[in-house]
Amino acid sequence: MSTNVKIIFETDSLITENETVKDFVKNSPAGHCSVLLEGTHYIVVKENKKTPLTLEKVRSTAGNIARDLSGRKVEAAEVSAEVLTNGFAELDNKDLLTAFAEGWDLGAYQFVAYKPSVTAFKTTLVVEGNAEEQDSVTLGKNRADATSFSRDLMNELSNVLNPETFPEVLKQQFEGTGVDVNVLDKDKLEELEMNGVLTVGRGSTYKPAFVELVYKGDESKPLVALVGKGVTFDTGGISLKSGKDLSDMRMDMGGAAAVAGAMTLLAKTKAQVNVVVLIPMVENMPDSTAVLPGEVIKYKNGLTVQVGNTDAEGRLILADALIRAGEWKAEYIVNIATLTGAVVAALGTELGGVFGDAELSADMKKIGDINGDFIWPMPLVEAYDSSLDSDYADMNNISSLSVAGSITAGLFLRRFVPKGSKWLHVDMAGVMDKSKASGYYAKSATGYGARLLADFTTHVSK
Ligand code: BES
Ligand code: ZN
Ligand code: ZN
């Protein structure tokens, strides 16, 4: 059955007055709104809570409604911009419309490629409003599209998305968008001495690659390099991971998905920015050819690294990308990676950790607070730096400490940051996926970082 519904907004008195409306009553996770389905009306009840309404609550509410209606195969839902913005007076009207449309599309997101019995269905959101209001809605849809692209990449299986196919997917994604896609193959990696990528990729049947996405929205703006960890599956290598189900390790390219999503959004919105995205791509596999614990990698900048643990592979490939960002003469460098289990222990699954430049970290936190990619500034504790010392190389890829694993990973990366660049490192291991659908999140990949890095890039390009 496919009916169209109209979304209206009411005050909380409606709950008690309409006790007969038993059809559907649900509290949003944010606890701010209840939604009731009555006939062809979908009523969002704005509760008189003391806590201020946030854009995140708007996104979550829209996501909950969209998922519910899509599940009921409702073709379209109508909402008037005026009614929507009246219902939520404390927020900027444009931001509110964008958030609602963004939350809507993300809430209806499904990854059903491997469920032949399920057809993805999304209730179309129809907003009645003027041209300016429609622009705000379109922006929300674009933000959702970019984030959904990141989700799709992360959810995809590792036999389908691997270092040989990933560059092709990106070529297709950016065709005709004004983004140049440079794919550096194994020969080029050798020429450029990307020895971290070459070494980590040695155990895989798939040849490693390095992709550069170049977008010159405004060449006069400072060059921002966005670096994403692209490990298409992390078995741990010879330091093999153990555990019941390692399926989630197909998402160890979450950083790559984030920067590709950010670039999608920046290009789509014709952002006046100057960006290069750098993605080292490998599959971390054990094999007779794989890197062995104890081997030493010599990097192009002269540093040597003992591979104390082949499962600390992310930092080994990001090191090459940081050196490369220096060759590009990037003024700002932000790398993002599903880097450490330790960040999950520290911050849990609701927010990422950001390390590096204190002022920029604070800026990034503010951006995440608004756009939903929540993040918390973390310290690079100098006293822990010597824990990366090696007996026979300049440094080890694992710390001798048994604690502070996300900090020592950040300290490792810092040694490769080119002089003169302002740098941030985002560890998104805790936020790469959700264990259940809620708000505007589906179960599984979150698409974290696409919005965060796009908005951050725009922020530093003002
Ligand atoms: N990809 C993992 C980190 C990870 C863990 C991502 C959980 C998502 C969820 C990374 O390559 C890794 O294995 N890190 C090790 C580092 C250790 C060997 C120093 C870790 O965190 O245990
Ligand atoms: Zn690993
Ligand atoms: Zn990894």
Side-chain angles (χ1 to χ4, degrees):
M1 194 191 66
S2 58
T3 20
N4 283 9
V5 299
K6 196 169 178 76
I7 299 172
I8 56 175
F9 294 84
E10 295 289 348
T11 63
D12 59 353
S13 59
L14 218 136
I15 297 176
T16 46
E17 280 171 17
N18 284 267
E19 273 162 344
T20 50
V21 182
K22 292 193 190 115
D23 223 6
F24 181 73
V25 178
K26 198 162 71 178
N27 286 314
S28 78
H32 210 90
C33 302
S34 305
V35 288
L36 310 145
L37 190 69
E38 184 195 31
T40 57
H41 283 161
Y42 206 85
I43 305 164
V44 177
V45 179
K46 184 174 177 249
E47 294 171 22
N48 292 324
K49 290 264 166 75
K50 288 214 174 69
T51 51
L53 178 63
T54 61
L55 293 173
E56 182 69 357
K57 288 174 187 170
V58 173
R59 283 185 287 264
S60 291
T61 303
N64 278 332
I65 301 171
R67 190 171 41 258
D68 177 64
L69 292 182
S70 300
R72 296 163 190 260
K73 301 274 191 285
V74 172
E75 290 277 345
E78 250 178 49
V79 60
S80 127
E82 200 197 334
V83 169
L84 176 56
T85 47
N86 275 345
F88 301 106
E90 58 264 65
L91 296 170
D92 175 81
N93 288 356
K94 283 189 194 168
D95 293 346
L96 197 149
L97 285 169
T98 300
F100 196 84
E102 181 181 326
W104 187 277
D105 279 5
L106 287 173
Y109 172 90
Q110 280 182 287
F111 183 74
V112 291
Y114 302 100
K115 286 189 174 181
S117 58
V118 180
T119 336
F121 185 92
K122 184 176 87 184
T123 303
T124 308
L125 174 67
V126 182
V127 179
E128 295 159 347
N130 60 31
E132 205 187 29
E133 288 163 340
Q134 297 302 344
D135 286 348
S136 301
V137 170
T138 303
L139 177 59
K141 287 177 188 276
N142 288 338
R143 294 176 70 79
D145 281 352
T147 308
S148 300
F149 176 59
S150 299
R151 288 184 182 179
D152 281 345
L153 291 172
M154 293 175 79
N155 283 324
E156 189 50 274
L157 313 185
S158 301
N159 58 323
V160 178
L161 193 84
N162 58 57
E164 290 179 6
T165 58
F166 201 170
E168 299 307 314
V169 172
L170 294 178
K171 275 189 202 163
Q172 217 184 334
Q173 171 76 357
F174 292 105
E175 210 181 295
T177 62
V179 175
D180 288 331
V181 182
N182 305 334
V183 180
L184 316 182
D185 62 13
K186 192 162 174 251
D187 290 345
K188 192 74 186 167
L189 296 182
E190 275 161 11
E191 192 188 312
L192 291 171
E193 296 173 59
M194 293 204 173
N195 296 328
V197 177
L198 287 163
T199 304
V200 176
R202 246 169 47 199
S204 171
T205 0
Y206 308 116
K207 289 195 183 77
F210 192 97
V211 173
E212 301 182 332
L213 308 173
V214 189
Y215 173 71
K216 296 173 179 165
D218 181 348
E219 259 189 282
S220 72
K221 294 288 165 65
L223 182 64
V224 181
L226 302 177
V227 176
K229 171 178 170 181
V231 176
T232 61
F233 196 94
D234 184 10
T235 65
I238 295 296
S239 314
L240 194 60
K241 286 183 185 294
S242 58
K244 259 202 302 204
D245 184 357
L246 295 186
S247 304
D248 280 357
M249 280 302 123
R250 76 189 188 283
M251 296 190 197
D252 208 22
M253 33 54 71
V259 293
M263 189 60 120
T264 301
L265 182 54
L266 290 167
K268 183 77 188 183
T269 53
K270 302 203 165 29
Q272 297 301 295
V273 296
N274 188 14
V275 195
V276 59
V277 156
L278 305 174
I279 309 178
M281 295 173 181
V282 293
E283 184 188 56
N284 189 20
M285 289 288 279
D287 188 82
S288 62
T289 56
V291 56
L292 297 174
E295 283 191 37
V296 173
I297 303 173
K298 182 158 195 221
Y299 282 88
K300 198 176 185 177
N301 64 2
L303 282 177
T304 57
V305 175
Q306 174 192 346
V307 183
N309 189 317
T310 66
D311 197 12
E313 83 297 338
R315 62 197 79 182
L316 295 175
I317 66 169
L318 290 171
D320 282 331
L322 289 169
I323 295 169
R324 184 69 181 156
E327 291 173 355
W328 274 92
K329 299 193 171 41
E331 201 166 310
Y332 294 91
I333 304 174
V334 184
N335 63 252
I336 181 162
T338 47
L339 203 65
T340 64
V343 83
V344 196
L347 295 173
T349 57
E350 290 297 321
L351 66 178
V354 59
F355 303 76
D357 188 292
E359 219 173 289
L360 290 176
S361 298
D363 289 355
M364 187 175 265
K365 182 190 176 296
K366 279 190 206 144
I367 291 167
D369 282 345
I370 294 167
N371 76 10
D373 278 345
F374 300 107
I375 193 144
W376 206 263
M378 300 279 281
L380 288 170
V381 182
E382 297 298 339
Y384 304 158
D385 194 60
S386 59
S387 72
L388 294 168
D389 289 350
S390 159
D391 292 340
Y392 54 91
D394 288 332
M395 57 200 289
N396 201 313
N397 78 330
I398 45 162
S399 159
S400 56
L401 300 172
S402 55
V403 291
S406 59
I407 295 174
T408 50
L411 288 166
F412 179 98
L413 293 174
R414 191 177 69 173
R415 297 194 185 197
F416 290 88
V417 175
K419 286 210 167 50
S421 301
K422 297 184 190 87
W423 168 73
L424 287 181
H425 151 55
V426 175
D427 196 335
M428 58 167 284
V431 287
M432 71 180 186
D433 60 357
K434 294 278 182 197
S435 55
K436 64 175 177 51
S438 166
Y440 62 94
Y441 287 101
K443 186 172 179 181
S444 213
T446 56
Y448 181 92
R451 298 172 300 170
L452 183 68
L453 297 194
D455 292 350
F456 180 81
T457 301
T458 308
H459 167 77
V460 295
S461 308
K462 273 181 189 143

